[in-house]
Amino acid sequence: LPRQAYERIVSGRTAHRLWIVEASGDLVGFLYASPGAVGRTLPIVQVAVQQDARRLEYASALVSEAERYAAQLQRPSIGLHVAADLEEATAFWNFLGYKLLRNVTGGARRGRVIEVRRKLLPTMIG
């Protein structure tokens, strides 16, 4: 995503959210989400955690914060897109309970298959 997208979030010029994880004063990861619309799925736009900080539960903590935020906004679910060839990422989303809904064709440049995933929020089930 372009730097301006993040600058708008940090400056408060958009309702989008950016959660940042730091460890020992270093930025190790972030999650960027859009609030979406009332009654609709809250989209996670991007999640990134440095390679050497993975498997330390930073990404899980970021996703938990996004799930709490979605519940506060009364969104029924959270959705995201992830490249199917990123095995570590798809395993992570499976582990957190994000179900694969369908595969779609990605952009022509990389020729990837993109997984569309969603998780119903517990407070909205039933």
Side-chain angles (χ1 to χ4, degrees), residues 39-103:
R40 307 280 309 259
T41 297
L42 181 138
I44 290 178
V45 178
Q46 190 168 28
V47 179
V49 174
Q50 287 183 349
Q51 188 72 32
D52 62 349
R54 293 184 183 165
R55 303 202 185 277
L56 298 175
E57 299 188 18
Y58 293 122
S60 297
L62 288 166
V63 173
S64 290
E65 286 300 314
E67 289 176 355
R68 275 193 278 283
Y69 175 62
Q72 287 173 350
L73 295 177
Q74 299 182 346
R75 302 303 186 253
S77 59
I78 293 184
L80 58 100
H81 295 150
V82 62
D85 63 321
L86 299 177
E87 294 177 13
E88 187 176 354
T90 58
F92 170 74
W93 293 112
N94 277 331
F95 177 76
L96 292 183
Y98 284 76
K99 303 296 184 205
L100 175 62
L101 300 179
R102 65 186 172 281
N103 288 325

